[in-house]
């Protein structure tokens, strides 16, 4: 339950709008819904496909910023403040998309060939809120794909997993899928891992501490033993 939830406060909250709890609740709500998204399109070559993708991306960023924050437990750690604005730039470039610390960049070529892939901006949005330091890249990308494919895409990771050949540190969708299985078995894991990452602690040790002593490799082995290949 949100500590600033005003429902059920009854006439006292209505009668005293200056009540600190009421004001705190209003501030919390404002922070969650006030995200501004600035979309930057190229000066030339903007077709209907790109316009539609940009509009969908803007809507996803606004809708999912509070959802990503909730999944991570964002805001519970020193220095974590919801972004007031996010800029997303569509331009010609190599690759697909990335967050550079100031803006999300998306390749127009990718949009042209994958107009249905607007969910990629949620992956980048996770990076906006992560801001991890001294954390393995496979972990950072795995958490971002966990949120995109497990939460946004409702568990449709779109890959075939041969657990005998793959490893939990393979990053992106593989690690994201692994984290989804571990979170299902040990609820609250993602938040504990985010907390460890923000505090500069060992995320692998945090995993074992939360998962009853089982290491990442031990948990992976238990999955491989019952499901050597999954889709």
């Amino acid at each position: 339950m949100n500590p600033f939830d005003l429902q059920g406060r009854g006439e006292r909250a209505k009668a005293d709008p200056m009540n600190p709890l009421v004001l705190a609740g209003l501030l919390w709500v404002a922070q969650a819904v006030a995200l501004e998204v600035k979309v930057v399109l190229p000066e030339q070559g903007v077709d209907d496909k790109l316009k539609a993708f940009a509009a969908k991306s803007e809507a996803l960023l606004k809708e999912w910023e509070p959802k990503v924050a909730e999944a991570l437990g964002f805001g519970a750690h020193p220095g974590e403040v919801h972004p007031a604005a996010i800029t997303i730039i569509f331009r010609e470039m190599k690759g697909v998309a990335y967050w550079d610390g100031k803006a999300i960049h998306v390749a127009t070529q990718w949009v042209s060939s994958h107009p249905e892939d607007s969910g990629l901006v949620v992956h980048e949005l996770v990076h906006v809120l992560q801001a991890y330091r001294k954390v393995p890249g496979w972990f950072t990308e795995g958490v971002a794909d966990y949120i995109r494919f497990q939460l946004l895409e409702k568990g449709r990771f779109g890959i075939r997993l041969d657990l005998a050949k793959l490893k939990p540190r393979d990053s992106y969708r593989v690690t994201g899928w692994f984290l989804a299985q571990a979170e299902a078995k040990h609820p609250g894991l993602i938040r504990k891992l985010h907390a460890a990452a923000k505090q500069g602690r060992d995320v692998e040790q945090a995993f074992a501490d939360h998962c009853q002593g089982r290491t990442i490799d031990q948990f992976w082995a238990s999955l491989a033993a019952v499901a050597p290949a999954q889709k």
Side-chain angles (χ1 to χ4, degrees), residues 22-46:
V22 175
L23 293 176
L26 292 175
L27 177 60
W28 183 87
V29 171
Q31 288 178 335
V33 301
L35 179 67
E36 176 187 353
V37 177
K38 180 181 179 181
V39 176
V40 180
L41 296 173
E43 295 182 358
Q44 299 178 343
V46 179

Side-chain angles (χ1 to χ4, degrees), residues 42-69:
E43 295 182 358
Q44 299 178 343
V46 179
D47 56 15
D48 290 340
K49 187 184 298 184
L50 180 55
K51 290 179 181 178
F53 192 102
K56 178 65 174 177
S57 297
E58 179 179 357
L60 281 171
L61 290 173
K62 290 181 177 179
E63 176 187 355
W64 275 84
E65 193 277 337
K67 293 181 179 180
V68 171

Side-chain angles (χ1 to χ4, degrees), residues 136-201:
W138 63 263
F139 171 79
T140 301
E141 299 298 347
V143 171
D145 264 6
Y146 159 78
I147 290 180
R148 179 193 170 169
F149 291 103
Q150 180 65 22
L151 304 185
L152 173 66
E153 308 285 359
K154 303 185 185 304
R156 296 187 292 269
F157 282 82
I159 54 173
R160 183 170 181 80
L161 292 164
D162 185 341
L163 302 191
K165 296 179 179 180
L166 298 174
K167 301 298 180 183
R169 299 173 190 81
D170 283 345
S171 195
Y172 291 99
R173 298 190 197 199
V174 176
T175 300
W177 178 87
F178 168 71
L179 291 173
Q181 313 315 304
E183 172 71 25
K185 182 69 174 179
H186 301 282
L189 172 64
I190 297 301
R191 286 185 166 209
K192 288 294 180 66
L193 294 177
H194 175 73
K198 295 296 288 190
Q199 295 164 9
R201 294 187 285 113

Side-chain angles (χ1 to χ4, degrees), residues 203-227:
V203 293
E204 297 210 23
Q205 184 60 53
F207 181 99
D209 290 344
H210 188 76
C211 296
Q212 301 176 337
R214 283 200 292 179
T215 67
I216 286 177
D217 292 313
Q218 288 171 339
F219 195 93
W220 181 270
S222 70
L223 295 174
V226 298

